Amino acid sequence: MGIEDGPVIVGGGPSGLAAAIELRGLGIEPVTVIERERQAGGIPRHSDHTGFGLRDLRTVLSGPRYAERYRELAVNAGVEVIAETMVTGWEGQLRMKLTGPDGRREVEPPAVVLATGCRERPRSARLIPGSRPAGVMTTATLQQIVHLGGQKVGRRAVIVGAEHVSFSAVATLAHAGASVAGLVTELPRHQSLAAFRAGAAVRYRAPVWSRTAVSAIHGNERVESVELTELDSGSTRSVDCDLVIFTADWIPDHELAVMAGCELDPGSLGPLVDPALRTTRRGVFAAGNLLHPAETADVCALDGRHVAPSVAAYLHGPGEWPSHVRLVTREPLVWIAPNLMLATAHDPPRDRFLLRSREFARRARIQIRQDGRELWSGRAGRLVPGRSAHIPAGWASRVDPTGGPVIARVE
């Protein structure tokens, strides 16, 4: 059997590998994963800290061991992983152009799962002025250099951002022998867990400068300093450093979804999906941090498991691609996922909807309404920019499939 005889999954991170493994467990063959890196496993390959696998594998592993475990499971399940290969074009219904070490080829599988993940916005996308010296990078690049390449990166860094991955960057820099001058955030406080913040302050002596922005980067061949602006007073100061690490501020790797003609959510910028993780393009599914940038690896893996039965059902008898009702948010909510409602009931991943706010709020009460009718109201706990809250999914069965959009808002 060839690659075109079964579903193709684009992206070999936790969500893609988990989807492939689950599809094989459901008797689907062949199942092929397209991975652009030399090795599958995604971001955990170079996240050399513990804490991976609690929700999906029921154990706690380091990032590299977690990625290795998923590669082992994929091999044992009979999944074919084609590495160092990219999807470079898309035409017709599901016809994709692949480019890899063996050249170019075209394939047209019966179904496609997009599991391309997300990335941090680099300096250019954040429109920070100044010179263009070496030493400016994202957390992903930093971790690849340090944990995969075993290289030194510099001596003193300023980290832009103050959420979970920002504190992970602190640990990576310490591993590489670099100190942290400080973490910079435009928000009134950090977005991570209190334990992470305390650990960074005590162990690494890394302060958090809130309500502060990097207004310029200076240096000739190498970064020499950054200019910081205090947003409340407008005053500026210079901080010496030879590294600037841009963390968080995630954006989905949605280029293939756009090329496929999938509609995007204006808040997350990922493709619109229903609770079964079907996009607006027939035969195209999506999972993982392409939909909700950026959740932990195990949450993404559970997305992959969730999408597999939907793909299998489609392959066994595609029928009509379901009609949808939009699920939208109002400020300060930025996005909610999944964000399309089905004409027939279907539970979302982990029986919950994820949502994200651009403002802090304690004991926030969320209200779900359609055409003036309340479907649900309840607490979502604490809202933190850059971190997802969640609400239960029981109200979804009360959505009118012929009605207007469903609106999620903070009461």
Side-chain angles (χ1 to χ4, degrees), residues 362-382:
R362 290 184 180 275
R363 293 182 55 78
R365 178 175 288 275
I366 306 299
Q367 185 183 60
I368 308 293
R369 301 181 67 87
Q370 183 188 32
D371 297 332
R373 178 171 58 99
E374 182 177 282
L375 305 179
W376 181 83
S377 177
R379 299 286 183 189
R382 187 183 180 197

Side-chain angles (χ1 to χ4, degrees), residues 119-151:
R119 62 182 183 271
E120 293 161 305
R121 292 182 196 269
R123 172 195 179 166
S124 57
R126 305 191 199 203
L127 303 178
I128 295 178
S131 52
R132 295 291 184 269
V136 180
M137 64 190 73
T138 63
T139 312
T141 302
L142 169 71
Q143 291 177 333
Q144 286 184 337
I145 292 173
V146 173
H147 296 308
L148 293 185
Q151 304 174 39

Side-chain angles (χ1 to χ4, degrees), residues 13-14 41-47 52 118 140 143:
I43 294 297
R45 291 182 310 125
H46 50 76
S47 298
F52 291 84
C118 64
Q143 291 177 333

Side-chain angles (χ1 to χ4, degrees), residues 180-215:
V180 176
L183 294 87
V184 180
T185 175
E186 297 182 15
L187 295 171
R189 53 188 179 273
H190 72 86
Q191 302 150 263
S192 190
L193 301 176
F196 288 6
R197 168 70 185 96
V202 173
R203 182 175 180 182
Y204 303 112
R205 300 185 182 279
V208 174
W209 297 319
S210 58
R211 295 293 296 154
T212 302
V214 175
S215 45

Side-chain angles (χ1 to χ4, degrees), residues 163-317:
E163 62 175 52
H164 291 339
V165 74
S166 311
F167 292 99
S168 176
V170 172
T172 301
L173 287 162
H175 180 84
S179 64
V180 176
L183 294 87
V184 180
T185 175
E186 297 182 15
L187 295 171
R189 53 188 179 273
H190 72 86
Q191 302 150 263
S192 190
L193 301 176
F196 288 6
R197 168 70 185 96
V202 173
R203 182 175 180 182
Y204 303 112
R205 300 185 182 279
V208 174
W209 297 319
S210 58
R211 295 293 296 154
T212 302
V214 175
S215 45
I217 297 175
H218 300 300
N220 294 316
E221 294 184 0
R222 180 84 190 186
V223 173
E224 298 171 7
S225 66
V226 296
E227 178 186 274
L228 303 182
T229 299
E230 295 183 6
L231 299 180
D232 295 327
S233 66
S235 63
T236 63
R237 69 182 189 274
S238 179
V239 175
D240 293 338
C241 60
D242 63 349
L243 282 168
V244 180
I245 310 299
F246 286 95
T247 68
D249 196 3
W250 304 99
I251 182 171
D253 272 323
H254 60 207
E255 288 79 7
L256 286 181
V258 172
M259 290 167 59
C262 301
E263 292 182 46
L264 301 185
D265 179 82
S268 69
L269 297 182
L272 296 173
V273 292
D274 63 26
L277 302 187
R278 290 173 279 212
T279 71
T280 56
R281 177 70 179 268
R282 193 173 188 273
V284 179
F285 302 77
N289 277 336
L290 174 63
L291 305 177
H292 40 62
E295 293 300 310
T296 57
D298 52 1
V299 169
C300 294
L302 293 176
D303 261 19
R305 291 184 189 175
H306 183 86
V307 76
S310 301
V311 176
Y314 175 76
L315 294 174
H316 289 144

